Structures are given as C-alpha cells and as structure tokens.
Amino acid sequence: MTLTALGVPTVPGRTQSRVNDHAAARDVPTDGPLVDTFGRVATDLRVSLTDRCNLRCSYCMPAAGLDWLPAQQLLRPDELARLMRIAVTRLGVTSVRFTGGEPLLARHLEEVVAAAASLRPRPEISLTTNGVGLARRAFALADAGLDRVNVSMDSVDQARFAAITRRDRLADVVAGLAAAKEAGLAPVKVNAVLDPTSGRDDVVELLRFCLDHSYQLRVIEQMPLDAGHQWRRETALSADDVLAALRPHFRLRPDPAPRGSAPAELWLVDTGPGTPTGKFGVIASVSHAFCASCDRTRLTADGQIRSCLFSSEETDLRGLLRSNADDETIETAWRAAMWGKPAGHGINEPNFVQPDRPMSAIGG
C-alpha cells in the first residue's frame, strides 16, 4: 500500500514522504505520540508562515531574492488553525514555533498566535524573526499569546550587519529586541550565524551585548541550506571555533541542567565576579549533530510536512485540507510522514545532497 492509497496526495515535482510499503501498511502507529521508527517523539512543531523575507542574508538567499510562492499556495489562517489543533490534540505536540521566511511579513501572525494560544492543552508558543518590524508588534503579539521570541542578529557592528544581510537595518533589530524584552517575551534569545571572516570578532561583541541587556545568545553553525549552494565546510566556523574565540574574553562553564532535546549546548558565562552573568548556547548542527534527540516536525508555508530540516521528501497536507479530508485522514498522513524520518540529516555522509528548498522556503 502506498501513501497515495492512504489518501496522501502527490506533490508535483517532489517525492512523497519516505515510508516503505510494509511500514505504511502495518507499522505506523494510529494513536499515541508522534513517533518515528527510531523511537524519537516529535513534540515541537515548526510552522512556517511565509517564504518571503525583507533581508537578503548571504548564507540564505541571493541578493536579488527568490521566486516567492504564489499566495494561493500558502496555508490560510483557518487551515493553519486546524492543523495546529490536530497536532496538539491528536498528535501530542506541546510547543509551536512560528517561522518563515520572515513571519512578521505575515499579516495574520497575531491571528494564528491567538489560535495556538486557545488550544487545550495550551502549547508553548514562540517566534523566530529577523526583528525588523518587531518593535511595532511585540506588545500585540504578547497580548495574542506569544510566550517568547528568538531574534536573528549576526553582528552588532553596523557595517558588518549590513554586509551580511545586504540591508542597513541593525537599528531596527536592536529596537525590536528592546520591545520584546519590555513586552515580557522572555527569555529573549539572539540567534547568530557567524560570517567566516569576521565571525570570531563578531561573536565576542555579540555576547557582551547580550550579557549587558540580559538576552541569551545562540550561535548556530552555518548549514548547507543556502539558495546558491555556496556552503563550504572548510570555511564555516564550527562550535569549537566559536568557543575558542570566546574563552580569552569570558569565563565559560557547562550548564549543569539536563539538555534533553534542546538543540543548543548551553554554557554559563560571565567575565568575572561582579560582572553580568547569563547563558550562552551553541547549536552545532554540523560538527556535533544532535539528530538522535530531535523532537521536531515541520510544516512549510505551503502545507507540506517535512520530518527533517534536510528532507528531500514531503507529505502534502494542504491537498488533504482542500479536498475536505477529515481529521483522522490528516492525522494518518502526518503520522506516516514522521514514521519514515531518517536517522540523521546526513550532512557528514559522502553521498549527502543539499535539499532543493533553501532555508527561507522550509522554515527554521
């Protein structure tokens, strides 16, 4: 029995979710947690609201941008609300993170945040954003039910920020961070992907900035998800490179709290007695992969389920929604997609192939 026979539509030009006939026919659980064949349980739903972005970060997309998805292919607010309800009430999802592209470009962001907040049991609700425009909407998002926010900022140097993002918007991002803190979207986290040339200097100043403002810095290793397929392992900064750059300036101690399924390895950080203290994290997706503890399931802006950020295969839930499928059919398709999740992302394998979709079209 194929996924098509189970009622899952084919996505033109893409491969269906990798679930072998035996697993699809007999082995996929019909209830309980959203589990895969390796025993991992997906409780964290990443929901992309748009593939559009108002920055042009060099590690993500070309300066001219990309061909955006047509509006009619994007999930509507009512469709998003229904899928989140299925995820929380039928599949055991406990946290929902809204991503993009840039989710602040979605006019219905507050509406879908409120829809998530109305679910019972209520999931934790977070947002990953580039921060441009956050100052204007932080309080409205908090009122809608948003719990916390991650803001992307790769440098606190204005010229370097503009060079990386191809936009001179650092002041807007800094204002967005301040507004998020004032609105109570805590802990406010700063995500940084470091430039191979300036990153060792940038990360020192970023961490000082975050300690001074009580933000939590997360450095994310650059991954092969750029639209131009220009990523090179030998030039990207690794987690070990980052820690080596920080140790001459800061006192770093491993966070004794259990890491669980969190992607970041956390450190307690300060510059000595009587100085600002905080937590700092490194997300070493490439050099110290954490696939064995992954708890994420991903919904793209056009309604495709991806079991892994690096999947080459997707399962079409939008087609099911728009063909009036019932909740049970959608749940079955979602479970089958996650049941076939691979053991790891494969970046370090010799036969690794970068996915066709860039990061902006997948959702972080």
Side-chain angles (χ1 to χ4, degrees), residues 47-229:
V47 179
S48 177
L49 298 179
T50 179
D51 61 328
R52 296 174 183 263
C53 190
N54 45 8
L55 300 182
R56 297 292 182 270
C57 297
S58 57
Y59 54 80
C60 184
M61 66 174 66
L66 298 167
D67 293 330
W68 310 126
L69 289 166
Q72 65 271 21
Q73 292 185 16
L74 302 180
L75 292 177
R76 302 186 304 267
D78 62 304
E79 294 172 327
L80 288 162
R82 184 180 176 198
L83 290 177
M84 289 189 295
R85 176 178 56 77
I86 291 171
V88 170
T89 65
R90 302 177 72 105
L91 298 173
V93 162
T94 59
S95 63
V96 176
R97 179 187 295 269
F98 295 106
T99 71
E102 174 43 51
L104 288 174
L105 295 181
R107 295 180 181 178
H108 56 277
L109 175 57
E110 288 84 356
E111 180 181 352
V112 294
V113 168
S118 70
L119 294 170
R120 295 295 179 271
R122 186 192 188 282
E124 180 188 53
I125 306 167
S126 58
L127 174 74
T128 296
T129 170
N130 63 28
V132 177
L134 181 58
R136 297 191 302 273
R137 297 173 73 177
F139 283 89
L141 288 166
D143 289 343
L146 187 66
D147 295 314
R148 62 179 185 83
V149 66
N150 287 44
V151 178
S152 298
M153 185 172 68
D154 305 322
S155 176
V156 292
D157 180 276
Q158 183 176 357
R160 289 176 181 170
F161 179 93
I164 293 168
T165 65
R166 303 188 179 103
R167 298 290 188 272
D168 187 10
R169 304 299 296 271
L170 178 61
D172 296 314
V173 178
V174 171
L177 284 164
K181 181 180 178 181
E182 187 178 358
L185 299 174
V188 176
K189 298 180 182 179
V190 174
N191 290 350
V193 177
L194 300 176
D195 181 82
T197 302
S198 64
R200 289 177 175 83
D201 294 328
D202 285 331
V203 72
V204 173
E205 297 308 315
L206 276 165
L207 187 48
R208 285 181 176 143
F209 173 86
C210 288
L211 290 175
D212 288 343
H213 292 84
S214 300
Y215 305 145
Q216 291 188 15
L217 178 64
R218 299 288 189 271
V219 174
I220 305 171
E221 286 185 341
Q222 187 174 339
M223 295 178 283
L225 287 168
D226 58 305
H229 292 207

Side-chain angles (χ1 to χ4, degrees), residues 6 25 30 36 44 63 140 164 182 195 243 249 313 322 349 355:
L6 285 170
T30 58
D36 63 38
D44 183 350
I164 293 168
E182 187 178 358
D195 181 82
L243 294 173
H249 306 276
E313 301 152 339
R322 296 182 182 178
E349 299 299 325

